[in-house]
Amino acid sequence: MPATGIHVFHQSHHVEEQVVDLIPALRAFARTFTSVPFEADDLVQETLFRALRSIDQFEPGTSLKSWLFTIMRNAFRTQYKIRTRESPGNTNCAELPIPMAPPQEWSVLNGELRNALASLTPEHREVLVLVAGFGMSYKEAADICDCAIGTIKSRLSRAREELMVQMHGNPLN
């Protein structure tokens, strides 16, 4: 009987190590929800808290990354509902970044891409980042977004077209 408890401990400990390895991916995914660095860090922290609190609910053999992304998405939705209900007011001007001209072309393109991504609807941005950014399958993205694979394909197509219009001014035709 004690051997089973030890096995469960080792399995749980192994999953916790994998969670730590996925923190950079969580940070990147959090930036799709908010461009404010401390808010993204808070979202990652809340995700990790929820995941580690419920680590025994993770089913071995399934995608840990998808499980964590689902937790993050749900945490963001909960926080968003609270924020819109509380309506805290306008952004503090002191927190806004000081605009600077990027010194290199890649910096300009990076800024343009970030702005174009920020202009997408949250659903389109989320799907684009999951599938194109993280290389997830349509099925994994559908599981995270809690919708059908066809919906993912449709959102991805629209997201790509919106991004193309934002970046180049013309649709994909």
Side-chain angles (χ1 to χ4, degrees):
M1 191 77 150
T4 305
I6 291 171
H7 176 69
V8 169
F9 170 77
H10 287 301
Q11 184 177 14
S12 173
H13 185 68
H14 180 66
V15 172
E16 289 171 0
E17 288 174 359
Q18 290 176 331
V19 168
V20 170
D21 292 341
L22 288 170
I23 289 175
L26 288 171
R27 282 191 175 128
F29 190 48
R31 294 298 298 257
T32 67
F33 293 109
T34 178
S35 61
V36 180
F38 77 86
E39 287 181 3
D41 290 343
D42 288 349
L43 184 56
V44 170
Q45 186 175 7
E46 178 65 20
T47 301
L48 292 171
F49 172 75
R50 289 181 182 197
L52 294 175
R53 182 181 61 196
S54 305
I55 200 77
D56 58 321
Q57 294 178 12
F58 174 71
E59 297 177 28
T62 61
S63 172
L64 181 61
K65 184 187 277 187
S66 294
W67 185 70
L68 291 170
F69 281 12
T70 301
I71 291 171
M72 179 175 284
R73 184 173 189 267
N74 292 338
F76 175 76
R77 283 185 165 187
T78 300
Q79 290 174 0
Y80 180 80
K81 286 177 187 176
I82 290 170
R83 267 189 257 139
T84 56
R85 191 171 46 232
E86 293 175 355
S87 300
N90 293 336
T91 304
N92 181 354
C93 293
E95 294 176 1
L96 295 175
I98 299 170
M100 293 176 58
Q104 299 171 347
E105 186 176 330
W106 63 267
S107 294
V108 173
L109 292 174
N110 185 29
E112 289 175 0
L113 178 60
R114 284 186 180 276
N115 289 337
L117 282 171
S119 73
L120 298 178
T121 64
E123 293 84 11
H124 291 169
R125 181 174 52 247
E126 179 179 45
V127 169
L128 187 66
V129 169
L130 289 173
V131 176
F134 288 110
M136 291 192 164
S137 69
Y138 293 143
K139 170 87 172 90
E140 289 174 314
D143 290 344
I144 290 169
C145 296
D146 194 28
C147 63
I149 291 174
T151 303
I152 292 297
K153 290 179 180 180
S154 174
R155 287 180 185 173
L156 183 60
S157 175
R158 288 187 184 120
R160 287 177 173 157
E161 187 168 327
E162 285 179 39
L163 193 60
M164 181 67 76
V165 168
Q166 291 294 327
M167 295 293 294
H168 301 292
N170 57 2
L172 281 175
N173 298 343

